[in-house]
Amino acid sequence: MKKIAVFVSAALLTSTASLAPLPASASLPTEIFNQSMPSLAPMLEKTTPAVVSIAVRGTQEVQSRVPEIFRFFGQQEQGPRERPFQGLGSGVIIDAKEGYIVTNAHVVDQADEIQVTLKDGRQFDAKKIGQDKDSDIALLQIDANELTAIKVADSDALRVGDFTVAIGNPFGLGQTVTSGIVSALGRSGLNIENYENFIQTDAAINSGNSGGALVNLRGELIGINTAILAPSGGNVGIGFAIPSNMMNNLVSQLIEYGEVNRGRLGVSGYSVNSDVAKAMELDTNQGGFIQEVEQGSAAEDAGIQAGDVIIKVNGKSVKTFEEIRGKIGSLGAGKKVQLTVVRDGDEKSFTVTLKKAQGDDIAAERIHPIFQGVELENQSSGILVKEIAQNSPARRAGLQVGDVIRGVNRTETDNIAQLKSFFEDNDGMAVLNVNRDGRNLFVRIQ
C-alpha cells in the first residue's frame, strides 16, 4: 500500500508540474459560485429550537445487600434506603402555547427536579403532567414565552428508505444532529417496552438522545428516540423511535386524564410466519393470528372470531401480532378502530370500539388519599364521581355517587388531569366545589 501511495503522489506531482499557471485575471465560471450546495441547514435552523435538553435529579430506593459471610456472624439486612441520582436526556416541544414537551418516561421517572434547557440557553423548571411506562412516553410542561413547537408528521406514511435526522443531547455534549434512513418499520419483540411498534433507523443515537426528535427532511416529527441496540455499549447503527402517531395518541390521553386510559381489543394470538401459514392453510405469511376471542370483549362485540388473521389496522398493513398490540395499546378506551382480517380466504373489515383495559381504571387515590376507593370519570360538565367504596375517606367527607366536581379552592377543574395537577402543587386542606342534582355545594377534604 505504501508503494501505491508513493506512486500516486508522484504522478500527481508530475501532472501538476505540467500545468501552466492561471493568469491573474482568470476566474472560475460564475455559475459554480452561484450554485447552492445541498444542505440540511435551512431545515435544521427552523426545527432544532423545538428540541430541548433535560436534566433530572431525584432519589430512588435501593436494597442494601449483606454478603452471606456477614449474615453468618449475625448481621441483618438493612432494608431499602434512598440514594440520590441525576441524569440527562432530551425532549421535544409539541405545543408552544401550552408549553408541552414530550420525552421518554425513563428519562424523568422518579425525578424530583426536572430542568429544561432550550437551544437559546434559557432554563426552566418543568412539571410532569403524566407518563406511561409501558410505552415509555412522558409529558412535561414549562411556563415560557417565545417557544418553537415542532410540526408532527403522519408516521403511518413512512417507508423504509426515507431519510431521517435525529436531534438530541448525547452524552450531555449539547444539541447534536445525526442523519440516516428508516431501516425498518413495525419493529417489536425487543422486550424494551410492553407496547412496541418502533421505527428503526441508522441515524446515530446514543445515551442522552432518549426523548429527542427523529424528523424527516421537512423537519417534521416522525418519532421519539427511545432506545439503541448496543452490544458494545456504543452506537452500532441500530436505533429505535416511538412513531409520532403512537406518541400523539398517548399524549392526548395524558393531557385529558393525567395518565393513559388504554383501550383493549380482547384477543390473544401470535404472529403469522411461513410455518404458521402452512399449518393453518392461510393465504398470507404475515399478520396476527387470533387464537382466542374473550367473551364480552370489544372484538367479540364487533364480530371478530378465533382463526381470523388481522392484516390491517386502520387501513395500514401490519406484520406481527406484537405490532398490532402496540398500535391498539396506544389508543384510548372508547376509540373506534378499523380492522381488516382474512377469514376463509376472504378479506373482511370490522369497526371495533375498544373497551377499557382491566386494571387501567384511573387510580384516583394517586390524586389525593381522600379519593381512595373512588372511581372518577371526565365529563363535559366536570369530573363525575362514578363509584365510592363503603367506609372510604371520600364518603366520610361527604362525597356521593353522582356528584360532579367542578373546582377545588375556587380554581376551576375541567378534568382529572387538572385536579391531579392542583394537588401536586398544593398541600393542606382543600375544598371541592361540587354540583349535586343541580345544586352547588362545598366538600372539605384534608
Side-chain angles (χ1 to χ4, degrees), residues 360-434:
D360 278 351
D361 290 340
I362 295 170
E365 62 268 19
R366 287 170 48 191
I367 300 174
H368 189 281
I370 192 74
F371 295 115
Q372 185 174 2
V374 176
E375 183 180 345
L376 302 175
E377 181 181 275
N378 285 328
Q379 292 196 340
S380 58
S381 57
I383 306 166
L384 174 67
V385 179
K386 288 188 66 176
E387 298 290 342
I388 301 181
Q390 292 290 339
N391 300 320
S392 66
R395 186 179 291 276
R396 292 195 297 270
L399 275 180
Q400 298 180 11
V401 173
D403 286 351
V404 177
I405 302 171
R406 291 183 169 178
V408 54
N409 285 10
R410 300 191 181 277
T411 298
E412 185 176 345
T413 52
D414 297 324
N415 52 55
I416 295 171
Q418 292 180 4
L419 185 66
K420 182 180 179 182
S421 177
F422 175 88
F423 284 110
E424 287 176 345
D425 297 335
N426 296 273
D427 296 323
M429 188 185 71
V431 178
L432 299 177
N433 181 4
V434 173

Side-chain angles (χ1 to χ4, degrees), residues 54-121:
I54 297 175
V56 300
R57 293 178 182 272
T59 56
Q60 58 187 3
E61 282 192 356
V62 293
Q63 185 69 36
S64 177
R65 297 293 182 185
V66 176
E68 193 69 32
I69 188 172
F70 292 113
R71 295 181 194 174
F72 179 78
F73 291 105
Q75 187 170 344
Q76 301 296 319
E77 294 278 2
Q78 297 178 358
R81 59 187 178 85
E82 289 190 342
R83 183 177 66 183
F85 74 90
Q86 57 185 13
L88 297 171
S90 307
V92 187
I93 302 172
I94 60 167
D95 189 324
K97 182 179 178 181
E98 297 296 333
Y100 287 140
I101 297 172
V102 174
T103 186
N104 286 142
H106 75 258
V107 171
V108 296
D109 189 34
Q110 299 186 54
D112 298 321
E113 300 176 23
I114 305 173
Q115 188 175 70
V116 169
T117 302
L118 307 183
K119 187 187 178 184
D120 61 16

Side-chain angles (χ1 to χ4, degrees), residues 3 42 68 77 80 115 136 186 266 276 283 303 307 409 432 436 445:
K3 290 183 179 178
E68 193 69 32
E77 294 278 2
Q115 188 175 70
D136 203 15
V276 173
D283 295 329
N409 285 10
L432 299 177
R436 180 181 298 164
I445 64 175

